[in-house]
Amino acid sequence: MLKIATLVAALSLSVTPALAAPEADAARLRADVEKLVSFGTRHTLSSPDHPTRGIGAARRWAAAEFAKIGKACGGCITVEQIDRRFTGPRAPNGVNVVNVLGVQAGTGNPDDVIIISAHIDSRVSDVADFTSDAPGANDDGSGVALVLEAARTLSKERFAPTIIYAVLSGEEQGLWGGRLIAETARARGWQVRALLNNDIVGNTEGQDGRRVTDRVRVFSEGIRASESLTEAMARRGSGAEDDGPSRAIMRAAQRVGKARSDLGLEVFGVRRPDRFSRGGDHLPALELGYPAIRFTVGVENYDHQHQDVREEDGRKFGDTVDEMDFAYLARVTALNIAVIRELASAPPAPASAVLGGALSSDTQVSWPEVPGAARYKVYWRRADARDWEQSQETTDTKLTLPGIIVDDHFAGVAAIAENGAESAVTFAGLPPANKNAMSKTQLSG
């Protein structure tokens, strides 16, 4: 009888397309991951000063890569490093956490921002061990390589919003790099359209032997971590538990994934902020109210995460380059590029959308004008449906949907640019956040 792992592998879920998308170079992604592994360890508490080993050498290399990309595009990307000292159970004596940013200034409001991120630090089995080799090829060399490759591609184009390519530190100690970038956004008044965090995006063989080459998971929150109890209750009253801003970014990624069928990737939208009982650097952004999602492989292999490099009874452990699939990583990279291109080419999503139609057989949707929008798309779906089912475009800032009973449907609005690029969808019907109670009309039966 076949072993279960062999049977699962035999029932492989997909076949890798012959060609990766031209926006991402698999060989260059591999070279970047191999370079990151060459620093020995990138543990957050490893040497910040050694010329060739440790977190400092890795961060300096990443900064040099951003500088090289910026030089190639005539200075369109500048390099910045932000840092702060953090202390916690995994660093009781404290450590200076440094994030390396490549900043591609937009042609519009400089505080209108899209962020793509990954963490550069690595670890072995003992999270406090900062001396042993910790290759961190997939976790998260894959994400860092993806961010650099996105910068190489998108730096050749111009967008209205600023794009920030963020290489974060301190993830394994407590999501500290994610907290630093989120708090920097708040301190500088950035209006974050989306944060795309990429963490473990380069393998296709799972723990049980199955191979998943045609899927990438995207995690997003529904009820917002940043909402007060009053705001959460208002969301509940509007039926918007599945329609927070991060969930809208997830749906935008799914829409882009379907449009880019050449990538051969299903965008599997997981309706959780992150994997069960686990976390990543997008979570601090969610806590501060920024829309953020996480990209992760379709199936994980836990023998190659957070493990000392070793072999036991013929079983290999360790996060090494040979366990990765760079053709797959190239396709996930191309998907990220396509999502950023779509969101950055579109106007911002409408700031709000008002729903009307109580005691009527028709539904009315209205929203404020969005600068740069050539037209708008109103979406709706039955209240028992998960995803948008129908849509209608208009150049006005209001639309009536005849015969659509508001009690039985949800609606939302996206802004569209002249070139057809489309924003995320703003859910219609949430009352203003500063409302402390429902009106008597809302409370009545």
Side-chain angles (χ1 to χ4, degrees), residues 418-432:
E418 191 67 50
N419 65 4
E422 185 176 323
S423 76
V425 176
T426 298
F427 184 80
L430 277 174

Side-chain angles (χ1 to χ4, degrees), residues 122-346:
S122 63
R123 58 165 286 190
V124 290
S125 302
D126 179 359
V127 71
D129 181 354
F130 59 88
T131 58
S132 298
D133 281 354
N138 196 22
D139 183 15
D140 186 29
S142 63
V144 174
L146 182 154
V147 169
L148 290 170
E149 189 72 356
R152 293 185 186 107
T153 298
L154 293 170
S155 63
K156 299 179 176 69
E157 306 171 40
R158 295 295 175 265
F159 303 98
T162 295
I163 301 175
I164 296 178
Y165 308 95
V167 173
L168 311 177
S169 300
E171 194 267 357
E172 303 289 6
Q173 280 61 51
L175 312 182
W176 289 340
R179 185 160 303 282
L180 179 56
I181 188 70
E183 292 182 353
T184 298
R186 182 174 61 180
R188 297 186 183 184
W190 290 348
Q191 299 153 27
V192 180
R193 293 194 189 187
L195 184 151
L196 279 57
N197 185 43
N198 284 268
D199 195 349
I200 309 178
V201 286
N203 73 279
T204 52
E205 183 173 336
Q207 184 75 15
D208 58 5
R210 78 181 71 190
R211 288 186 63 83
V212 179
T213 63
D214 65 346
R215 180 182 301 158
V216 63
R217 292 177 294 167
V218 175
F219 295 84
S220 67
E221 69 171 8
I223 294 290
R224 303 183 70 184
S226 62
E227 286 180 328
S228 67
L229 177 59
T230 299
E231 291 165 340
M233 291 302 291
R235 182 174 296 280
R236 173 181 176 271
S238 295
E241 296 94 333
D242 194 32
D243 288 272
S246 297
R247 195 60 50 81
I249 300 298
M250 179 202 79
R251 288 192 176 104
Q254 290 179 313
R255 174 169 52 81
V256 171
K258 289 177 181 177
R260 287 298 309 273
S261 59
D262 60 303
L263 297 179
L265 281 175
E266 173 199 0
V267 178
F268 176 18
V270 185
R271 284 163 159 78
R272 282 192 175 115
D274 207 323
R275 298 148 308 153
F276 182 69
S277 296
R278 302 170 75 188
D281 274 325
H282 59 301
L283 298 185
L286 294 174
E287 292 172 6
L288 294 187
Y290 298 118
I293 58 177
R294 173 184 177 140
F295 288 81
T296 295
V297 293
V299 63
E300 295 181 62
N301 191 323
Y302 312 109
D303 286 354
H304 306 302
Q305 297 176 17
H306 301 177
Q307 294 284 347
D308 295 333
V309 179
R310 66 193 191 281
E311 187 170 330
E312 296 178 355
D313 300 324
R315 182 173 172 182
K316 292 176 62 179
F317 294 86
D319 188 359
T320 53
V321 174
D322 59 300
E323 300 296 337
M324 293 178 62
D325 182 336
F326 288 95
Y328 173 83
L329 175 57
R331 290 155 55 220
V332 176
T333 302
L335 174 64
N336 271 261
I337 290 168
V339 172
I340 293 176
R341 182 183 288 121
E342 177 77 1
L343 295 177
S345 299

